[in-house]
Amino acid sequence: MSVVYPPNDLASDAVNQFIARSHKLYIDGEWQTPTEEGAITVLDPATGMPIAKVPLAGREDVDRAVKAARTAFEEGPWSRMTPIERSKYIWRLADLIERHAGELAQIESIDAGKIVAVTQIADIPLSAAMMHYMAGWASKVDGETFSFNRPGEYHGYTLREPVGVAALIVPWNFPLVLTCFKLGPALAAGCTVIIKPAEQTPLSALRLADLVSEAGFPNGVINILTGDGPTSGAALASHPGVDKISFTGSTEVGKGILRAASGNLKRVTLELGGKSPMFVFPDADLDKVIPGCSSAIFFNQGQTCTAGSRLYVHRKVYDRVVAGIADGVRSLVPGHGLDPATSLAPVVSESQATRVARYIDLGLSAGAEAVVGGSRLEREGYFIAPTVLANTHGDMAVVREEIFGPVLTAMPFDDDTDLDTLAAIGNDTPFGLAASVWTTNLSTAHKMARRLKAGTVWLNTHNHYEPAAAFGGAKESGWGRECGIHGVHLFTETKTVIAAL
């Protein structure tokens, strides 16, 4: 891992020094050399150039990490601490994330191709907020008492106990945020963990390991393995020493995780794909609708599981809404995420850029019209022009399949389309992660919320994430919920105790 790439002139010295260092695996509280010589080259999405190498964790490395986590859970101080003591560690880590916010924001920008102004106001604050919030739950994971319905005198209660060793497999679109979405609840429940970041974006997880060490976590409580899905991820998913898998990623890979986890019937949480609809009614406040719906799809270049990728607008305001969204993205300036002049960032990789461009071509060949965008930008890096496709319908691949890129399909509806029909159109997808409804009529808003089969329905907003709000999907968008007490409970097992008096 000793290859040194040129520093980024836009990054701080601390960030360049971190990226250039010889990266190892964080196991049992120490930086450890991988057992095999495999490595992953990390690329800057804005340039396509290599910036670092990280280890490719093999099966023996996974074994070491699982053993360390198991020892910390079964024998180490973590399971013997009071909940208040555990909460202090989680809070300290949250404070350290805030203290190093500028550095983490730059690392996330370089590694994932994000605009640093966005990581500074969204990714890093939300990561810290989740850890602070979950620190409070550590002391409130309680059981219940219950009444008896048969003769005799008994006392009964339940205990919520940590499930054990949890493997947290994180995607590349929000590396640090989604690590904290999983890590906070797992630690609050009393679990020990192995984190595997996405192979495309491992750097913020490695920097997080430094902060874990600085926070003083006991050895083995948090282990971090860089690696790929087929090698490292598969070894974690099938490992008999792992009690719980929490995975965020594509539906296809999620189904593979399920199959691999069946060996010891691991507990599994899956946050998977989406094809989220947005419904704009004629009474909606268009001054909020146009920027809101634009952000819903183009935030993070559409690489968001809840991206508002299907837009249904009443015909009375359809032209104005579509034109307004198109006008808003025409002036975006592509560039490196650390450049203050940049307002259009790249997608994460060459393969992702190819995938998105292929879907755009499929839509155009099927008769869709590109109101704006419609192609890949001819420049270094992985840039796709934000694209709005009109003349689309429900049978097109661009409407039915998750693209995970900056591509919006727009379709009008009329006065004679009732709420049941609209909801049926929105529900006509294998996914059920999120949706949004834009109207000033509260009755319409809440009626639509009840009819839509989605884990989250936003009213007059979109992509609003809250640590206290349960997050997850219906249908093929996943199993279980993250965030809130719901996320903590999924890292616990319920034990019933009955005593004859």
Side-chain angles (χ1 to χ4, degrees), residues 359-433:
Y359 269 108
I360 293 173
D361 289 343
L362 282 174
L364 296 175
S365 63
E369 170 198 350
V371 180
V372 68
S375 65
R376 183 172 178 172
L377 300 184
E378 294 184 3
R379 55 172 292 136
E380 68 175 8
Y382 316 127
F383 289 85
I384 299 286
T387 298
V388 177
L389 297 178
N391 295 332
T392 56
H393 54 77
D395 293 332
M396 291 180 172
V398 288
V399 177
R400 299 200 61 80
E401 299 176 20
E402 184 178 40
I403 299 172
F404 221 64
V407 181
L408 175 67
T409 60
M411 291 152 281
F413 65 89
D414 296 295
D415 284 332
D416 59 356
T417 309
D418 60 27
L419 298 187
D420 288 330
T421 302
L422 271 181
I425 293 170
N427 294 335
D428 185 21
T429 170
F431 303 109
L433 189 56

Side-chain angles (χ1 to χ4, degrees), residues 147-165:
S147 301
F148 283 82
N149 295 288
R150 299 181 64 191
E153 292 190 75
Y154 298 89
H155 174 56
Y157 59 93
T158 62
L159 299 171
R160 280 200 176 270
E161 300 178 336
V163 70
V165 175

Side-chain angles (χ1 to χ4, degrees), residues 119-132:
T119 60
Q120 288 171 335
I121 64 171
D123 296 56
I124 311 307
L126 182 55
S127 300
M130 178 58 71
M131 300 302 291
H132 277 134

Side-chain angles (χ1 to χ4, degrees), residues 435-439 442 444-446 448-449 452 457-462:
S436 62
V437 180
W438 301 78
T439 177
L442 288 178
T444 297
H446 291 292
M448 283 294 290
L452 290 166
V457 179
W458 288 294
L459 306 180
N460 296 312
T461 188
H462 199 106

